[in-house]
Amino acid sequence: MAGREVVIVEVGPRDGLQNETTPITTADKLALIGRLAEAGLSRIEATAFVSPRWVPQMADHEAVMRGITRRPGVVYSALVPNEKGAEAALAAGAQALAVFTAASESFCRKNTNCSIAESIARFRPVMRLAERAGVPVRGYVSCALDCPYEGEIAPDAVASVSAELLALGCSEIALSDTLGRGTPERTQAMVEATLRRAPAAMLAGHFHDTSGQAIANVEVAWRLGLRIFDGAVGGSGGCPYAPGAAGNLATERLVAHFEAKGISTGIDLAALERAGRWIGARLDMAAR
């Protein structure tokens, strides 16, 4: 990641595709991951080792992780819900793991069928497996600004869950505006509260663009010291357990924003845009 002033984490193959109702072939997923790596993405969340019953689009997680043509300097990660998922992901070659909880009790119960405390307890064996394998674990905090069931989330609730994940051993916390309703003012309050419990270097911004405020929220987080941001190529995706959540912030827009400011991302924007058009066309074909 030499020369990068900001690190972009590409979540399109997982968060971007997970909500697509029409099956996407494993070959297309692998081709997308290859195109993203060629464009210069250094971190790609390739798949999720979750139950196909709940997220059918991720049913081929093992085939995807094993089938990736590895590119030097690129870290290929997987989202995992528990120890079983972590074991399978590591066996398939995941170089990093991600776990997920929420700052909202209601959302956590809807999404994972347990409380926030119980979800974090489930991660302890994941952390032990990751430590033995020598791979880092990212922690997602969903509903960092709004919850579809509880409304606005208090900044201190986000800070508290983030601190718990760091204490557990997570190397990075992704503050996630799952519904994409966040404003710059509320983003600032949330990030500032979290910074009182965690260093900026261990925080990432994950913004959805439902209200068209994602770039403005990224800019606020950048000014407060965050240097890691998530994007999904083509702006695809959205959480299947968050009614009303639109697509993620498009990686193309994220890269263009920083490059326009003279901030290096290490990503070839033209190649990234080609990848976005390619997967958009494949999704259109699959939906016919």
Side-chain angles (χ1 to χ4, degrees):
M1 291 184 285
R4 299 171 193 256
E5 297 173 72
V6 63
V7 175
I8 307 298
V9 179
E10 175 57 58
V11 299
R14 194 277 300 176
D15 201 14
L17 298 183
Q18 69 177 6
N19 215 20
E20 294 291 331
T21 54
T22 304
I24 309 302
T25 68
T26 301
D28 279 349
K29 292 175 184 177
L30 291 172
L32 174 62
I33 292 167
R35 287 169 179 262
L36 293 167
E38 288 173 8
L41 273 302
S42 61
R43 292 175 57 182
I44 300 174
E45 194 169 81
T47 189
F49 280 73
V50 294
S51 170
R53 177 184 175 191
W54 301 114
V55 189
Q57 193 65 252
M58 298 288 106
D60 60 351
H61 45 237
E62 183 171 355
V64 168
M65 187 55 72
R66 290 187 183 277
I68 294 169
T69 299
R70 307 293 168 127
R71 190 179 182 94
V74 181
V75 174
Y76 302 91
S77 64
L79 187 77
V80 301
N82 50 35
E83 182 179 17
K84 180 181 178 181
E87 287 178 338
L90 291 171
Q95 295 164 291
L97 302 178
V99 295
F100 53 97
T101 186
S104 156
E105 285 288 356
S106 299
F107 185 84
C108 195
R109 290 186 181 279
K110 291 278 188 179
N111 195 17
T112 62
N113 198 33
C114 66
S115 68
I116 294 172
E118 288 168 338
S119 72
I120 291 174
R122 289 180 182 176
F123 302 153
R124 297 188 187 283
V126 174
M127 302 307 298
R128 288 194 291 269
L129 284 171
E131 184 177 11
R132 287 200 293 269
V135 305
V137 180
R138 163 186 259 210
Y140 281 100
V141 180
S142 298
C143 298
L145 290 166
D146 293 275
C147 169
Y149 314 106
E150 296 181 13
E152 291 189 12
I153 298 298
D156 285 344
V158 182
S160 177
V161 174
S162 298
E164 287 190 68
L165 289 171
L166 287 177
L168 193 67
C170 288
S171 60
E172 180 177 291
I173 307 300
L175 305 173
S176 307
D177 181 14
T178 309
L179 297 189
R181 296 178 186 167
T183 63
E185 295 77 17
R186 293 180 54 230
T187 296
Q188 179 169 336
M190 180 270 290
V191 173
E192 286 178 341
T194 308
L195 285 170
R196 290 193 282 271
R197 307 287 297 273
M202 299 181 77
L203 299 179
H206 180 108
F207 296 99
H208 287 212
D209 208 23
T210 311
S211 301
Q213 294 286 320
I215 285 293
N217 294 336
V218 164
E219 182 64 16
V220 166
W222 165 265
R223 290 176 181 172
L224 290 171
L226 273 63
R227 296 294 181 265
I228 306 167
F229 295 94
D230 294 2
V233 65
S236 57
C239 179
Y241 298 97
N248 291 280
L249 172 58
T251 314
E252 299 94 316
R253 288 190 63 209
L254 190 56
V255 172
H257 171 72
F258 283 116
E259 295 289 348
K261 289 163 60 73
I263 297 167
S264 174
T265 64
I267 295 167
D268 181 336
L269 182 56
L272 179 62
E273 289 172 339
R274 287 194 296 273
R277 290 192 295 271
W278 181 85
I279 189 59
R282 304 304 290 179
L283 292 174
D284 287 346
M285 289 175 58
R288 289 174 188 167

